[in-house]
């Protein structure tokens, strides 16, 4: 009996020691990475090292320090505009500012998890703050911006075991690295189904909500640059993006836009690129489908081309490719 107890204690000690060593090695070897659902210790470490925000929570410098009496470029959108998963200076609004400052001042109003109604409220609250000095508002759009469907960062309940594993991944590099991909697949699959259904059921109402954003911009006597991204989980999600919202929203935009407005179809940019088939080139990391630094650069280039009126893969309101 004593031998059995001793063996059990030794086995448990060996397991504990092995896990301790494995965790220690994981903390040395595994690099922090972003997670699209915003959970896990690796994501927390990535955020601490690579993401800074101003006093209002925007990924930008203090608005009170911005240069006055110059044309402004204001970016509104969700986590793609915020720059989830990439370094501060790699986000496309930051790249645009680096190229155009001091002739233009920029404001990044991207908010992770926001939908079109949220972005309308953000824009409304900031127009007065910016004193109506806007020239161009870059409206970034993604498929989960359909009203009340931007739920990719909301954690569903998956029972006691998964909740324990979620807690464990918030504290252990090893557990996070192993479990996070499985958790993300569950969350993304569930939310993609909701998004796809929403476009089938609510597209007409949603178009009116998006149009409210464009009307507010025009009322402010500003130009719109509409930047529309596909959902890039796999090839199927790209095709669904095209069918469900990319083509339909661009068509609607071109019917309502005013002279000087523009649109950038990011799906088209991807499809025209030599790396089109290499998903890892376009995403922040293998578990995070947010845009990579390379895709942010590609979009920034097109925004700059539009503003400088240089040839590029954007479309002016007159339906002619520039």
């Amino acid at each position: 009996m004593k031998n059995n107890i001793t063996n059990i204690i030794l086995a448990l000690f060996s397991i504990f020691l092995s896990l301790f060593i494995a965790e220690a090695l994981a903390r040395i070897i595994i690099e922090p990475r972003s997670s699209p659902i915003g959970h896990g210790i690796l994501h927390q470490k990535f955020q601490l090292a690579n993401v800074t925000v101003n006093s209002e929570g925007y990924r930008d410098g203090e608005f009170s320090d911005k240069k006055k009496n110059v044309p402004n470029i204001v970016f509104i959108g969700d986590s793609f505009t915020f720059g989830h998963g990439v370094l501060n200076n790699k986000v496309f609004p930051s790249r645009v500012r680096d190229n155009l400052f001091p002739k233009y001042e920029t404001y990044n109003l991207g908010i992770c998890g926001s939908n079109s109604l949220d972005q309308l409220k953000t824009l409304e609250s900031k127009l007065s703050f910016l004193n109506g000095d806007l020239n161009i508002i870059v409206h970034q759009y993604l498929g989960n911006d359909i009203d009340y469907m931007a739920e990719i960062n909301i954690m569903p309940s998956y029972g006691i075991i998964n909740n324990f594993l979620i807690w464990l991944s918030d504290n252990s590099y090893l557990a996070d690295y192993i479990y996070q991909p499985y958790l993300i697949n569950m969350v993304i699959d569930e939310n993609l189904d909701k998004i796809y259904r929403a476009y089938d059921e609510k597209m007409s109402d949603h178009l009116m909500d998006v149009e409210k954003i464009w009307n507010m911009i025009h009322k402010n006597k500003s130009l719109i640059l509409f930047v529309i991204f596909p959902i890039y989980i796999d090839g199927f999600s790209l095709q669904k993006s095209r069918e469900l919202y990319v083509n339909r929203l661009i068509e609607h935009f071109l019917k309502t836009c005013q002279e000087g407005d523009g649109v950038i179809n990011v799906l088209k940019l991807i499809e025209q690129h030599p790396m089109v088939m290499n998903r890892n080139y376009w995403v922040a990391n293998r578990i995070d489908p947010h845009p990579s630094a390379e895709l942010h650069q590609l979009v920034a280039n097109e925004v700059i081309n539009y503003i400088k009126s240089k040839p590029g893969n954007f479309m002016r309101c007159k339906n002619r490719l520039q």
Side-chain angles (χ1 to χ4, degrees):
M1 183 66 176
K2 289 183 178 180
N3 286 338
N4 290 337
I5 294 175
T6 300
N7 290 336
I8 292 172
I9 292 174
L10 287 174
L12 291 173
F13 177 76
S14 297
I15 292 171
F16 175 80
L17 182 61
S18 297
L19 289 174
F20 179 83
I21 293 173
E23 177 65 21
L25 289 173
R27 289 176 179 258
I28 296 172
I29 297 171
I30 298 174
E31 294 288 334
R33 65 185 180 187
S34 60
S35 163
I37 57 177
H39 284 260
I41 191 170
L42 295 175
H43 175 78
Q44 296 167 14
K45 295 293 184 180
F46 179 88
Q47 293 290 100
L48 286 173
N50 300 300
V51 178
T52 56
V53 298
N54 64 20
S55 59
E56 297 186 61
Y58 295 106
R59 199 171 185 183
D60 203 337
E62 294 298 332
F63 293 160
S64 59
D65 295 335
K66 294 287 187 178
K67 186 176 176 65
K68 310 301 181 184
N69 302 318
V70 295
N72 295 316
I73 307 167
V74 178
F75 298 84
I76 61 169
D78 53 34
S79 55
F80 280 40
T81 296
F82 182 87
H84 186 104
V86 298
L87 309 185
N88 288 319
N89 63 346
K90 303 298 184 182
V91 181
F92 75 88
S94 297
R95 292 179 183 270
V96 172
R97 186 177 197 273
D98 289 343
N99 186 278
L100 298 178
F101 187 83
K103 290 184 177 180
Y104 290 85
E105 184 56 275
T106 64
Y107 294 79
N108 185 348
L109 303 182
I111 302 175
C112 292
S114 65
N115 59 37
S116 294
L117 292 180
D118 299 326
Q119 291 152 21
L120 177 65
K121 293 176 182 176
T122 298
L123 186 60
E124 187 175 29
S125 68
K126 293 303 178 186
L127 285 179
S128 59
F129 172 79
L130 296 169
N131 300 316
D133 292 332
L134 313 184
N135 286 105
I136 300 168
I137 295 183
V138 180
H139 176 205
Q140 173 263 311
Y141 187 95
L142 179 68
N144 67 349
D145 289 355
I146 190 166
D147 308 340
Y148 306 113
M149 299 309 298
E151 299 173 353
I152 204 69
N153 292 320
I154 297 176
M155 292 293 294
S157 176
Y158 284 113
I160 295 175
I161 294 177
N162 276 315
N163 286 334
F164 169 73
L165 291 173
I166 290 170
W167 173 84
L168 198 60
S169 71
D170 283 337
N171 295 276
S172 163
Y173 272 50
L174 188 62
D176 189 23
Y177 187 79
I178 295 172
Y179 178 66
Q180 191 76 202
Y182 170 73
L183 174 64
I184 289 168
N185 285 336
M186 285 194 294
V187 175
I188 287 179
D189 287 346
E190 180 172 308
N191 281 277
L192 279 179
D193 288 340
K194 293 178 183 178
I195 293 167
Y196 294 157
R197 289 198 305 271
Y199 280 104
D200 287 335
E201 299 170 2
K202 302 179 180 179
M203 187 60 165
S204 297
D205 291 337
H206 180 57
L207 286 174
M208 290 190 289
D209 290 334
V210 174
E211 196 171 333
K212 290 177 183 176
I213 296 176
W214 301 338
N215 289 338
M216 181 177 294
I217 296 171
H218 286 146
K219 188 177 180 180
N220 190 257
K221 299 181 181 179
S222 300
L223 295 176
I224 304 169
L225 178 57
F226 186 43
V227 181
I228 186 164
F229 281 81
I231 297 172
Y232 198 174
I233 307 299
D234 50 29
F236 177 76
S237 65
L238 283 180
Q239 184 60 33
K240 290 291 286 186
S241 296
R242 186 200 317 278
E243 295 172 359
L244 288 177
Y245 73 88
V246 172
N247 289 346
R248 295 160 78 182
L249 274 163
I250 290 176
E251 181 182 358
H252 190 73
F253 177 77
L254 292 174
K255 288 179 180 178
T256 60
C257 63
Q258 297 182 3
E259 186 175 358
D261 292 339
V263 58
I264 297 173
N265 182 350
V266 180
L267 176 56
K268 186 176 180 180
L269 297 183
I270 293 172
E271 291 178 332
Q272 291 178 341
H273 197 279
M275 299 293 287
V276 58
M277 301 303 295
N278 184 356
R279 178 182 179 272
N280 290 336
Y281 183 82
W282 302 108
V283 297
N285 59 64
R286 68 181 184 87
I287 66 169
D288 188 352
H290 284 88
S292 63
E294 289 77 13
L295 184 50
H296 275 277
Q297 179 68 74
L298 197 62
V299 173
N301 291 343
E302 291 303 319
V303 174
I304 294 165
N305 288 338
Y306 164 81
I307 292 170
K308 290 185 173 181
S309 295
K310 291 184 176 181
N313 290 300
F314 59 89
M315 186 178 293
R316 290 282 185 188
C317 192
K318 293 180 180 179
N319 292 342
R320 56 187 178 86
L321 194 65
Q322 302 295 309

